[in-house]
Structure formats: C-alpha cells, structure tokens
Amino acid sequence: MVGKKSGKALLREEGLERTDNDMDLTTWPQINMINQKNYYTEYLKRDDQILVLRLQNEENRNRMTQDARDRDRALAHSNRNEVPLPDADVVDMEDDAGAEDGGGTLGGQEALGSKTIVIHPGSQNLRIGLASDALPKSTPMVIAKRWDESEFEEDGGEPKPKRAKRDDGSVTEPERLFGDEFASQYTTMSADLKVHMRQNKRRVLPNSKELVVNYNRRIPAETISEHNDPLRIDWTELPQNPRKAPQLFTGHAALRIPDDSKPRYKLFWPMRHGWLNERIYSSKNRLLEDFSVIIEQAIMSQLGLPRKQHWAQYSCVFIIPDLYERLYVTSIMEMLLRDFGFARVCFIQESLAASFGAGYSSACIVDIGAQKTSMCCVEEGMCIENSRINLKYGGADVSETFVKMMLFDHFPYADINLKRRYDFLVAEELKQKFCTMNEAEISVQLYEFHLRASGQDTRKYMFKTYDEVILAPMGYIRPSIFDNHEKLKGRRKLIDRSYDLYDSTPNDPVSAAQAAICQTIGPPRTINGALLTSNGDAGNAGYTTSTPSRQQPIALHNRLTELDTTPRSSVAGSPAPEANGTPQPGGSSTPAQGVNGMNSILASYNNDKVIAAQERDRILPIVPLDNAILTCIAHGARDDERKMRDFLGGIMIIGGGSQTPGFHTFLEERMRELRPGFAKDIMIGGPPRELDPQVVAWKGGSVFGKLRGTNDSWIGQMEYDRLGSRLLAYKCMWAW
C-alpha cells in the first residue's frame, strides 16, 4: 500500500516547491511596530542634545582645561622658595565675583571689562560706556536730519505747550491759556497745598499769588551783549555753502544746531515714553535705522572706536525695559550681531540691573525716567514677573507742567516754546534749579535765568515764583495735570505686536500688576457674560492678582474639560428631558461633536486674547505714583506679610526724575497715609554710596557684563546664525 504523500512532496514533484536562499526581498530597512503600551524616547531630554546648552558646557570644559594647563605650566616654572600659587577654587571664586570680561582670561594685561560695551538707551538720554569705566558717557538720544523745515515750524508754528486763542487769532490772557480744566486743577492743587501747610503750622501769606503776578507783569528782560556773557553756548557750526552741510548730527551736536539754520534740520527722537516712536516716522526701517545710527555714532565718538572692524573683539550688554516687547528685543539683537558685528551679546532688565548696581539682593526698584516710570520687585536676583508696572509719565511732563504753571502766573518770557531747542534746554534748567518738594521752602522767591539763542544777544529775566515749584512735581501724585492726549498717537502704526508661532495669539509679556492698573483706568470688558482680564482670560471680576505673567492655558484647560466625552457628574450635568419624557444619558455626544466644540473653544479663547491685547494698546497706563508702588509691592509679595514689609522697607528710587529735593520724604508721607498699618515699615531711599540715580542701571549692567563663571546669558554669532531669536528662550535670565 502506497502511503499518502505530503503536500510538500507533491509540490516538489510538480516543481512548485518554494525555495528560500536567505535573501531579503528588499534592501530597505524594516522597522518594527512600536509597542504602544511601553515606549520611551530621550529626544531633547539631555543637555548635550540642545545646541545652546552643549556649547555652554563645551566652553566651561575648555576654560577648566586651559586653567589647569596654565596652572601646571606655572608650577613647572616656579621655584621652591617662591610663594605657593592659590588654590584653583579660590581663583574661580575671584573670577565669578570680580569678574572678568566676556573675552576670556587677559592675564592682567587689560582692565576687567575693557572689551565689554554696556548700552542703556532711554527716551531722552543714551548712556554708554565700557564695563571697566567708573561712569558712563551720556548723550541725548536724538538725531538731526536735513529737512524742509525744523520742528518748531511744523503745524503752522504751533507752540508747545499749546495755547488757546481767540477768534481773531490773538492769544488770550494767561489765566485762560490752557483751558478751563487745567485752570481748575491748578487752582484746586494750590488750595489743597495751602490747607496742608496750615495743618503743618507753616506760614501762608494770603496775597502770595498777587505778589508773583504783579512782579512778573512789569519786569522787562535785560539784554547782555555776547562778549559780556562768560557762559555763552558754542552752537554747532555749519559750512557757508548749504550743499556741503552734513546730512545728520547726533547727540549734543544735534541739540546745538540753530533753529533757523541753513539748511534746516529736524530733530527725530527714536524712543518716546519707553516705546519706539512710531508717530513721526513713515516706515519701520527708517525708525530702526535712526536708532542704530545714534548708538553707532556714540560708540565711535564717545568710546573712541571709530573703526567698525574692531568691534568684533567686543561683547555687548544691552539693558531692556522690565515690560519689554519681543519684537523690540529681537530687532536689537539683530542690529547688534549683524550690523555692529559684536562677538557676543546679552540682555538684562532695568530693575535687575539697578539691583546689581546698588548691591541689593531684594528691593522694590522705582525708575522715574524722562517720559516713563517703571517699577518692579526684585527678589534674590530675579525680577518678580507679576509685579512689573510701566507708567507713561516722567520728568519731561514735570518740565512742561512747570512751564504751563509759570505762564499761568504771567511768566515774563511768554514766548517760550518747547519745540525750539534753546527753549527746551531752558525749561530743563529751570526745573532742575528751582523745583522742590520741601514745604519749608515754599514762599515768594525771586529767581533769574539767562536765555541764550543763536545769533541773538543774551537776555536776562527776573521772575518770582510761589507754589509752582512744588505743584509741578506733585503731578506724580496727580497725573491728570499732565498733558496726556498725544501719548498714544501713532501707536501700532508701524510695529505690530508679537504673536505666538503655534496659535497666533499675542505673546508679549504682561503682569498682574499692570493688568490691575489697566482695569482701574478703563472699564472691564465682558465677553459671553464673563469678565475678561487684561491678559485675555475670562475669570472672576475682582480677582486680578491671579492674572499670570505669561499666557498660560489655565482657563482654556478648564473650558476644554467640559467637552470630555467621559460622563462626569461634576462636569456634565443632566440635559433637559425631551417631550416624551425619555431620559438621555449624560456625555452622549459623538467624538465629532467634541472635536468641533474643542476647535470652537480654541478659536474663542484665541480671539479673546487678541481682543484683550487690543484693549491694552488703547489704554494709557497713568495712575498716581504712590498707588502704583503699593500695587507693585502687593503683587510682588503674593499675600506674604513678611515679604510685604521687606519690600516696603526697601524701596529704591532711581532715574533723573527722582532728583527733585525732598521727593523721597514727600512720597514716604503719601504712602504712609495710604497704608497706616505699615507706616513704620515704609522707607524710601536712593542708591547707596552717593551714586548718581541716573546711572545705577548702567552700573549694574557693567557689573553683570564682567561676570564670567556665573553668566550664561551670552549669545554668540554662531549660535545666532543657527537658531536666531529662539536662543532667547535658553539665554535670558527670565521666562522669555
């Protein structure tokens, strides 16, 4: 009997057997499926996988290797009788504290920080210098360019401050020059001052105003010939041929150009009120070009570096505002690394730089500049994000208000116009010399000043003042007396806000303190019945302290949980029954409905954030200074009474606007009246060691630039070429 053949045998006999030669069907690698229950990746989970951190580690390793080689070489050449070399750890500590500059070990051949340039731009002045310098060079942040007409000839020659006129075009009497609102506020402030002085047992003459007005009306100016004036001004000289005149001037030379020069020059200020000045420019490129030209000319003239090819040997520390705009920082970084060609660049915030300069680890920094006032709480070398506040008034508003008050009281130089360059300098001089906040000095005083204009004889004016000298700086407490109607003009005309790359929502930094300030100024907006806070989150009406400083999807997450398809008794309530009374189970929505609802909520949330950013741009942040400081400290302390007392006892006032005599004492009294429970703790002071308040932030930037082992904020050329502005997320000392 023949046995049954197997299938393989039959296939072999028929020639259909499959033979395997151990060769793959393709050379393409075969990838197995990932086990979805248990998989792991190390992508971007180690420092050596991130270019920025890897370069930092390599730099530290190379420095340690070089130090070890130098030490071994020194030990090999040293004799037994010589003093032993210091320990390596001690050398590292000295490097961190004393600071070498960013360029590496110099071996004592050059001063520390001599290859680091520190730049601090402001609305009115630019402070620049080497980190090894004791004090910076100050130059006006202005550029004069050849133009058809100068700034005082524009708008039909309308002066500043603007005067009211009659129907026939003539100027009205001084009491009505600036409208009824200004007159009412000025009269009210004067009456309140008299009441306060009487309460403090100070003598108040009933006819003080009449004495001032009557004297100023009848005193004419005295003319002094130019050769008899020892303090005459050296004006910027122009060639006789207008065609050979330079195209531009910067700094002090720009302010010294005669207003009636041939050819005409117009002044451009690239920064106003802490923002880039978009109002007087027609394009963003010209604005940034003027900004860079001013800094470039300052480096060449003030620092003695005329050749640009030598700048590649220098590093740069740039000081930015606490509440910065991202596009401003990225544009500055592009300018410093591309146009100027610096080897390395790093950024530091103003308040943090001020704490470095003063040597304070924890303080509430209040910076009163020419056109903006910023404040922030600094704790252990870090700015508290939710405490940052930026207000749009400063010393220039005090100068303008002081001029208006004197004109109200029949100031003898009635033609003063702050658009004219020599009048602008005169107004600043009058404010610095005569303004005070000491009530003991308030009486009828006789002063004088000299008016020096190009091509004219010097004029000497005698005038009397009474309470104008204290009421003008009191505008910090009552900022409604300032002229604020043009400060938002041209805002967002050229430079748009920054947007997130993924959800296209505004991502410029905000703070809870600034949001609280904006909510007190403008009415709160409601969207879909919910109150919209200033960073775009819908929340509780009175709960402003929880506003995050960065756009965190907290509210979005809470709203997305409502679309979870899993039934939850605490989230998804029972729907209303139908007409037939059949109950419907909760959470029965289809996945498609859940996705559509999630997309709609995402779109609604993003739209709310855009609307909130637009509302912030429409609000001019101006509140009394004492209230702003208390708001800043309240958000910086975060309901911690110990921190509250520490910050109240460590308020440091810096900036040129804080140099009015008696300002610190006056502000202390105001804050103690507002917070009587902390009256013993409130203490306001200036920078230590009699340091100039205007240069404290620059001094801190110079200290920061000389740190080596503890400074990882440097951005190099190679890193910027590869990663661009994304570097700031790794390099900044704060949450970018």
Side-chain angles (χ1 to χ4, degrees), residues 143-187:
I143 181 172
K145 301 163 69 173
R146 291 180 60 170
W147 214 254
D148 297 333
E149 55 185 5
S150 60
E151 58 273 8
F152 87 97
E153 296 173 336
E154 293 181 337
D155 301 329
E158 184 70 34
K160 180 183 179 181
K162 188 176 181 180
R163 277 85 156 173
K165 296 182 180 179
R166 297 190 179 96
D167 295 336
D168 58 356
S170 60
V171 180
T172 62
E173 56 271 15
E175 290 79 5
R176 298 182 180 179
L177 274 179
F178 309 109
D180 296 336
E181 183 179 357
F182 177 81
S184 175
Q185 293 191 37
Y186 181 31
T187 306

Short mmCIF file of all heavy atoms in Angstrom, two decimals, residues 143-187:
data_model
loop_
_atom_site.label_atom_id
_atom_site.label_comp_id
_atom_site.label_asym_id
_atom_site.label_seq_id
_atom_site.Cartn_x
_atom_site.Cartn_y
_atom_site.Cartn_z
N ILE A 143 18.56 112.49 16.87
CA ILE A 143 19.28 112.63 15.61
C ILE A 143 18.64 113.78 14.84
O ILE A 143 17.42 113.91 14.79
CB ILE A 143 19.25 111.32 14.79
CG1 ILE A 143 20.04 111.48 13.49
CG2 ILE A 143 17.84 110.86 14.52
CD1 ILE A 143 20.21 110.17 12.72
N ALA A 144 19.47 114.66 14.29
CA ALA A 144 19.02 115.80 13.48
C ALA A 144 19.33 115.50 12.01
O ALA A 144 20.49 115.22 11.67
CB ALA A 144 19.70 117.09 13.93
N LYS A 145 18.31 115.57 11.16
CA LYS A 145 18.47 115.26 9.74
C LYS A 145 18.02 116.46 8.91
O LYS A 145 17.12 117.21 9.31
CB LYS A 145 17.64 114.02 9.39
CG LYS A 145 18.06 112.80 10.20
CD LYS A 145 17.02 111.69 10.17
CE LYS A 145 16.90 111.05 8.84
NZ LYS A 145 16.00 109.87 8.88
N ARG A 146 18.65 116.63 7.78
CA ARG A 146 18.28 117.72 6.88
C ARG A 146 16.82 117.56 6.45
O ARG A 146 16.40 116.48 6.02
CB ARG A 146 19.21 117.75 5.67
CG ARG A 146 20.63 118.15 6.02
CD ARG A 146 21.54 118.19 4.81
NE ARG A 146 21.07 119.13 3.80
CZ ARG A 146 21.78 119.49 2.73
NH1 ARG A 146 23.00 118.99 2.55
NH2 ARG A 146 21.30 120.34 1.86
N TRP A 147 16.09 118.68 6.57
CA TRP A 147 14.63 118.62 6.33
C TRP A 147 14.18 119.95 5.71
O TRP A 147 14.94 120.93 5.67
CB TRP A 147 13.91 118.37 7.65
CG TRP A 147 12.68 117.54 7.53
CD1 TRP A 147 11.38 117.95 7.60
CD2 TRP A 147 12.63 116.12 7.32
NE1 TRP A 147 10.53 116.88 7.45
CE2 TRP A 147 11.27 115.75 7.27
CE3 TRP A 147 13.61 115.14 7.15
CZ2 TRP A 147 10.87 114.43 7.07
CZ3 TRP A 147 13.21 113.84 6.96
CH2 TRP A 147 11.86 113.49 6.93
N ASP A 148 12.94 119.95 5.26
CA ASP A 148 12.40 121.18 4.67
C ASP A 148 12.18 122.26 5.71
O ASP A 148 12.35 123.45 5.43
CB ASP A 148 11.08 120.87 3.94
CG ASP A 148 11.29 119.92 2.77
OD1 ASP A 148 12.42 119.91 2.22
OD2 ASP A 148 10.35 119.17 2.42
N GLU A 149 11.78 121.88 6.90
CA GLU A 149 11.54 122.83 7.98
C GLU A 149 11.87 122.18 9.31
O GLU A 149 11.82 120.94 9.44
CB GLU A 149 10.08 123.31 7.96
CG GLU A 149 9.06 122.19 8.01
CD GLU A 149 7.63 122.67 7.86
OE1 GLU A 149 7.47 123.89 7.63
OE2 GLU A 149 6.70 121.86 7.98
N SER A 150 12.22 122.99 10.28
CA SER A 150 12.53 122.47 11.61
C SER A 150 11.25 122.16 12.37
O SER A 150 10.14 122.51 11.93
CB SER A 150 13.39 123.47 12.38
OG SER A 150 12.70 124.69 12.53
N GLU A 151 11.39 121.52 13.51
CA GLU A 151 10.21 121.04 14.24
C GLU A 151 9.34 122.18 14.76
O GLU A 151 8.11 122.04 14.84
CB GLU A 151 10.62 120.12 15.39
CG GLU A 151 11.55 120.75 16.41
CD GLU A 151 13.00 120.63 16.03
OE1 GLU A 151 13.30 120.20 14.90
OE2 GLU A 151 13.85 120.99 16.87
N PHE A 152 9.92 123.34 15.07
CA PHE A 152 9.09 124.42 15.60
C PHE A 152 8.31 125.14 14.50
O PHE A 152 7.39 125.90 14.79
CB PHE A 152 9.95 125.42 16.39
CG PHE A 152 10.57 126.50 15.57
CD1 PHE A 152 9.98 127.76 15.48
CD2 PHE A 152 11.75 126.27 14.87
CE1 PHE A 152 10.56 128.76 14.73
CE2 PHE A 152 12.33 127.27 14.13
CZ PHE A 152 11.74 128.52 14.05
N GLU A 153 8.64 124.89 13.22
CA GLU A 153 7.90 125.48 12.11
C GLU A 153 6.77 124.60 11.62
O GLU A 153 5.97 125.03 10.78
CB GLU A 153 8.87 125.76 10.95
CG GLU A 153 9.93 126.79 11.28
CD GLU A 153 10.97 126.93 10.19
OE1 GLU A 153 11.14 125.96 9.42
OE2 GLU A 153 11.60 128.00 10.10
N GLU A 154 6.70 123.37 12.09
CA GLU A 154 5.64 122.46 11.65
C GLU A 154 4.31 122.84 12.29
O GLU A 154 4.26 123.53 13.31
CB GLU A 154 6.01 121.01 12.00
CG GLU A 154 7.21 120.50 11.23
CD GLU A 154 7.54 119.06 11.57
OE1 GLU A 154 7.16 118.61 12.66
OE2 GLU A 154 8.18 118.40 10.74
N ASP A 155 3.24 122.34 11.68
CA ASP A 155 1.87 122.60 12.15
C ASP A 155 1.59 124.09 12.25
O ASP A 155 0.91 124.56 13.18
CB ASP A 155 1.63 121.94 13.52
CG ASP A 155 1.84 120.44 13.48
OD1 ASP A 155 1.59 119.85 12.40
OD2 ASP A 155 2.27 119.86 14.49
N GLY A 156 2.11 124.84 11.28
CA GLY A 156 1.84 126.27 11.28
C GLY A 156 2.51 127.04 12.39
O GLY A 156 2.06 128.13 12.75
N GLY A 157 3.59 126.49 12.96
CA GLY A 157 4.28 127.16 14.05
C GLY A 157 3.56 127.09 15.37
O GLY A 157 3.77 127.95 16.24
N GLU A 158 2.74 126.07 15.57
CA GLU A 158 2.01 125.91 16.83
C GLU A 158 2.99 125.64 17.96
O GLU A 158 3.78 124.70 17.91
CB GLU A 158 1.02 124.76 16.72
CG GLU A 158 0.13 124.57 17.93
CD GLU A 158 -0.88 125.69 18.09
OE1 GLU A 158 -1.35 126.21 17.06
OE2 GLU A 158 -1.18 126.05 19.24
N PRO A 159 2.99 126.46 19.02
CA PRO A 159 3.98 126.27 20.09
C PRO A 159 3.60 125.12 21.02
O PRO A 159 2.49 124.58 20.98
CB PRO A 159 3.95 127.62 20.84
CG PRO A 159 2.56 128.11 20.64
CD PRO A 159 2.14 127.63 19.26
N LYS A 160 4.55 124.74 21.83
CA LYS A 160 4.35 123.74 22.87
C LYS A 160 4.86 124.31 24.20
O LYS A 160 6.00 124.76 24.26
CB LYS A 160 5.10 122.45 22.52
CG LYS A 160 4.94 121.35 23.57
CD LYS A 160 5.78 120.14 23.20
CE LYS A 160 5.64 119.05 24.25
NZ LYS A 160 6.46 117.87 23.95
N PRO A 161 4.02 124.34 25.22
CA PRO A 161 2.64 123.86 25.30
C PRO A 161 1.68 124.69 24.46
O PRO A 161 1.88 125.89 24.28
CB PRO A 161 2.33 123.94 26.79
CG PRO A 161 3.27 124.96 27.33
CD PRO A 161 4.50 124.88 26.51
N LYS A 162 0.65 124.04 23.98
CA LYS A 162 -0.31 124.67 23.08
C LYS A 162 -1.15 125.70 23.84
O LYS A 162 -1.67 125.43 24.91
CB LYS A 162 -1.21 123.59 22.47
CG LYS A 162 -2.13 124.10 21.39
CD LYS A 162 -2.90 122.94 20.78
CE LYS A 162 -3.82 123.43 19.66
NZ LYS A 162 -4.57 122.31 19.05
N ARG A 163 -1.28 126.89 23.24
CA ARG A 163 -2.04 127.97 23.85
C ARG A 163 -3.42 128.09 23.21
O ARG A 163 -3.58 127.82 22.01
CB ARG A 163 -1.32 129.31 23.68
CG ARG A 163 -0.23 129.60 24.72
CD ARG A 163 1.07 129.00 24.34
NE ARG A 163 2.21 129.71 24.96
CZ ARG A 163 3.44 129.30 24.90
NH1 ARG A 163 3.75 128.17 24.29
NH2 ARG A 163 4.42 129.99 25.46
N ALA A 164 -4.37 128.54 24.01
CA ALA A 164 -5.71 128.85 23.48
C ALA A 164 -5.69 130.22 22.83
O ALA A 164 -4.98 131.13 23.26
CB ALA A 164 -6.74 128.80 24.61
N LYS A 165 -6.48 130.37 21.77
CA LYS A 165 -6.53 131.62 21.02
C LYS A 165 -7.96 132.11 20.87
O LYS A 165 -8.91 131.33 20.93
CB LYS A 165 -5.90 131.44 19.63
CG LYS A 165 -4.42 131.09 19.65
CD LYS A 165 -3.85 130.97 18.26
CE LYS A 165 -2.37 130.63 18.29
NZ LYS A 165 -1.81 130.49 16.91
N ARG A 166 -8.08 133.41 20.67
CA ARG A 166 -9.40 133.99 20.42
C ARG A 166 -9.80 133.74 18.96
O ARG A 166 -9.06 133.19 18.16
CB ARG A 166 -9.36 135.49 20.72
CG ARG A 166 -9.08 135.84 22.17
CD ARG A 166 -9.30 137.32 22.40
NE ARG A 166 -9.05 137.69 23.80
CZ ARG A 166 -7.90 138.18 24.24
NH1 ARG A 166 -6.88 138.35 23.40
NH2 ARG A 166 -7.75 138.50 25.51
N ASP A 167 -10.99 134.21 18.63
CA ASP A 167 -11.48 134.02 17.27
C ASP A 167 -10.65 134.78 16.25
O ASP A 167 -10.53 134.36 15.09
CB ASP A 167 -12.95 134.47 17.18
CG ASP A 167 -13.86 133.60 18.05
OD1 ASP A 167 -13.46 132.45 18.32
OD2 ASP A 167 -14.94 134.08 18.45
N ASP A 168 -10.08 135.90 16.64
CA ASP A 168 -9.26 136.68 15.71
C ASP A 168 -7.83 136.18 15.63
O ASP A 168 -7.00 136.78 14.93
CB ASP A 168 -9.28 138.16 16.12
CG ASP A 168 -8.77 138.38 17.54
OD1 ASP A 168 -8.49 137.37 18.23
OD2 ASP A 168 -8.68 139.55 17.96
N GLY A 169 -7.48 135.10 16.33
CA GLY A 169 -6.14 134.53 16.27
C GLY A 169 -5.19 135.03 17.33
O GLY A 169 -4.07 134.52 17.43
N SER A 170 -5.58 136.01 18.11
CA SER A 170 -4.71 136.53 19.16
C SER A 170 -4.74 135.61 20.37
O SER A 170 -5.70 134.87 20.61
CB SER A 170 -5.14 137.94 19.56
OG SER A 170 -6.47 137.92 20.06
N VAL A 171 -3.65 135.66 21.17
CA VAL A 171 -3.53 134.82 22.36
C VAL A 171 -4.36 135.42 23.49
O VAL A 171 -4.38 136.64 23.69
CB VAL A 171 -2.06 134.68 22.77
CG1 VAL A 171 -1.92 133.79 24.01
CG2 VAL A 171 -1.23 134.10 21.63
N THR A 172 -5.02 134.55 24.25
CA THR A 172 -5.86 135.00 25.36
C THR A 172 -4.99 135.38 26.55
O THR A 172 -3.76 135.25 26.53
CB THR A 172 -6.85 133.90 25.75
OG1 THR A 172 -6.12 132.76 26.21
CG2 THR A 172 -7.72 133.50 24.56
N GLU A 173 -5.64 135.84 27.60
CA GLU A 173 -4.92 136.18 28.81
C GLU A 173 -4.32 134.92 29.44
O GLU A 173 -4.79 133.81 29.22
CB GLU A 173 -5.83 136.88 29.81
CG GLU A 173 -7.08 136.11 30.18
CD GLU A 173 -8.24 136.41 29.23
OE1 GLU A 173 -7.98 136.99 28.14
OE2 GLU A 173 -9.38 136.04 29.56
N PRO A 174 -3.26 135.07 30.24
CA PRO A 174 -2.54 133.89 30.77
C PRO A 174 -3.43 132.94 31.56
O PRO A 174 -3.19 131.73 31.56
CB PRO A 174 -1.46 134.51 31.65
CG PRO A 174 -1.22 135.86 31.06
CD PRO A 174 -2.57 136.33 30.57
N GLU A 175 -4.45 133.45 32.26
CA GLU A 175 -5.29 132.57 33.08
C GLU A 175 -6.13 131.62 32.24
O GLU A 175 -6.65 130.62 32.76
CB GLU A 175 -6.21 133.39 33.98
CG GLU A 175 -5.51 134.13 35.12
CD GLU A 175 -4.83 135.41 34.63
OE1 GLU A 175 -5.00 135.75 33.43
OE2 GLU A 175 -4.15 136.08 35.44
N ARG A 176 -6.27 131.90 30.94
CA ARG A 176 -7.08 131.03 30.08
C ARG A 176 -6.25 130.41 28.96
O ARG A 176 -6.81 129.91 27.99
CB ARG A 176 -8.23 131.83 29.48
CG ARG A 176 -9.20 132.39 30.52
CD ARG A 176 -10.35 133.12 29.84
NE ARG A 176 -11.29 133.67 30.82
CZ ARG A 176 -12.37 134.38 30.49
NH1 ARG A 176 -12.62 134.63 29.21
NH2 ARG A 176 -13.16 134.84 31.43
N LEU A 177 -4.95 130.44 29.09
CA LEU A 177 -4.10 129.94 28.01
C LEU A 177 -4.30 128.45 27.75
O LEU A 177 -4.24 128.00 26.61
CB LEU A 177 -2.63 130.21 28.35
CG LEU A 177 -2.06 131.58 27.98
CD1 LEU A 177 -0.62 131.67 28.41
CD2 LEU A 177 -2.18 131.82 26.49
N PHE A 178 -4.51 127.68 28.79
CA PHE A 178 -4.51 126.22 28.68
C PHE A 178 -5.87 125.59 29.01
O PHE A 178 -5.94 124.41 29.34
CB PHE A 178 -3.43 125.64 29.59
CG PHE A 178 -2.09 126.28 29.38
CD1 PHE A 178 -1.56 127.12 30.35
CD2 PHE A 178 -1.38 126.08 28.22
CE1 PHE A 178 -0.34 127.74 30.16
CE2 PHE A 178 -0.15 126.68 28.03
CZ PHE A 178 0.37 127.52 28.99
N GLY A 179 -6.92 126.38 28.92
CA GLY A 179 -8.25 125.84 29.09
C GLY A 179 -8.74 125.87 30.53
O GLY A 179 -7.97 126.06 31.47
N ASP A 180 -10.04 125.66 30.66
CA ASP A 180 -10.66 125.72 31.99
C ASP A 180 -10.28 124.51 32.85
O ASP A 180 -10.20 124.63 34.08
CB ASP A 180 -12.18 125.80 31.84
CG ASP A 180 -12.62 127.08 31.15
OD1 ASP A 180 -11.86 128.06 31.20
OD2 ASP A 180 -13.72 127.09 30.53
N GLU A 181 -10.06 123.36 32.22
CA GLU A 181 -9.76 122.16 33.01
C GLU A 181 -8.40 122.31 33.72
O GLU A 181 -8.29 122.00 34.91
CB GLU A 181 -9.74 120.93 32.10
CG GLU A 181 -9.48 119.63 32.85
CD GLU A 181 -9.49 118.43 31.93
OE1 GLU A 181 -9.75 118.62 30.72
OE2 GLU A 181 -9.24 117.31 32.41
N PHE A 182 -7.40 122.77 32.98
CA PHE A 182 -6.10 122.97 33.62
C PHE A 182 -6.19 124.04 34.71
O PHE A 182 -5.61 123.88 35.79
CB PHE A 182 -5.07 123.38 32.56
CG PHE A 182 -3.71 123.69 33.14
CD1 PHE A 182 -2.82 122.68 33.45
CD2 PHE A 182 -3.32 125.00 33.39
CE1 PHE A 182 -1.58 122.95 33.99
CE2 PHE A 182 -2.08 125.29 33.92
CZ PHE A 182 -1.21 124.26 34.23
N ALA A 183 -6.90 125.12 34.44
CA ALA A 183 -7.03 126.19 35.44
C ALA A 183 -7.71 125.67 36.70
O ALA A 183 -7.32 126.01 37.82
CB ALA A 183 -7.79 127.36 34.85
N SER A 184 -8.75 124.84 36.52
CA SER A 184 -9.47 124.30 37.68
C SER A 184 -8.56 123.37 38.50
O SER A 184 -8.53 123.46 39.73
CB SER A 184 -10.71 123.55 37.20
OG SER A 184 -11.36 122.92 38.28
N GLN A 185 -7.82 122.48 37.82
CA GLN A 185 -6.94 121.57 38.55
C GLN A 185 -5.81 122.32 39.25
O GLN A 185 -5.46 122.00 40.39
CB GLN A 185 -6.36 120.53 37.58
CG GLN A 185 -7.38 119.56 37.02
CD GLN A 185 -6.71 118.42 36.28
OE1 GLN A 185 -5.66 117.93 36.68
NE2 GLN A 185 -7.32 117.98 35.19
N TYR A 186 -5.26 123.31 38.57
CA TYR A 186 -4.17 124.08 39.16
C TYR A 186 -4.65 124.84 40.39
O TYR A 186 -3.98 124.86 41.45
CB TYR A 186 -3.61 125.04 38.11
CG TYR A 186 -2.45 125.89 38.58
CD1 TYR A 186 -1.55 125.44 39.54
CD2 TYR A 186 -2.25 127.16 38.05
CE1 TYR A 186 -0.49 126.22 39.97
CE2 TYR A 186 -1.19 127.95 38.47
CZ TYR A 186 -0.33 127.48 39.42
OH TYR A 186 0.73 128.25 39.85
N THR A 187 -5.83 125.45 40.31
CA THR A 187 -6.38 126.18 41.46
C THR A 187 -6.69 125.24 42.62
O THR A 187 -6.43 125.57 43.79
CB THR A 187 -7.65 126.93 41.03
OG1 THR A 187 -7.35 127.75 39.90
CG2 THR A 187 -8.16 127.80 42.16
#
